[in-house]
Amino acid sequence: MDFKKFLPWIILAVVIFVIYSWASGIYNKAVTLEQNVKESWGNVNTAYQKRNDLIPNLVETVKGYAKHEKSTLTEVIQARANATSVKIDPTNVTPEQLAAFNAAQSGVSSSLSRLLVSVEQYPDLKANQNFIDLQRELTSMENQIFTARTRFNESVKPYNNNINTFPRNILAGMYGLKEKPYFEASTGADKRVDVKF
């Protein structure tokens, strides 16, 4: 048996196997990292949903005491409705979609802030145990949202690094993998806040 006759076929098979292993390894790593991004996005949504679930309880508690704050309460309810209407698919998220989501959630945060400021006029409400518990829970939720957003950004970074480094970027383009956007601060968050008493 002449071994030299099969040598080119053996070399070709080894080269094809190496290229296949390399390409599938890059793709599989990208898929794994994308799953991490999806999981992180799910955690972000869960945190926002939990906050949105608290809002009706807060509104009902305030309603009983703050009859004159109807417009503020309506604003909170509307902001919540707007925020829950913005849906994002983490596999195809774009910077524009993330900005719209962020703007809707910022609307909830600012309307809640206005509500909590207006509550200062109602000492009985501020002393109400249900209201105190809801305020604590909202504060806790804001911390969880911050953590979830941070972890989302932490999961986006390795995914983006993976698909943007050479030679992976060539295969990522062939596979149709695109860079994912990061959460960024809301517009105006870089401005100094004046606190007046």
Side-chain angles (χ1 to χ4, degrees), residues 57-58 61 65 123-137:
N57 295 336
L58 181 68
T61 302
Y65 288 88
D124 290 344
L125 175 59
K126 289 191 322 185
N128 178 289
Q129 191 59 46
N130 284 345
F131 181 74
I132 292 168
D133 292 344
L134 284 167
Q135 247 186 323
R136 280 190 193 126
E137 208 165 335

Side-chain angles (χ1 to χ4, degrees), residues 6-23:
F6 294 106
L7 188 60
W9 292 106
I10 293 170
I11 291 172
L12 181 63
V14 168
V15 168
I16 289 172
F17 178 76
V18 168
I19 291 172
Y20 170 78
S21 297
W22 174 74

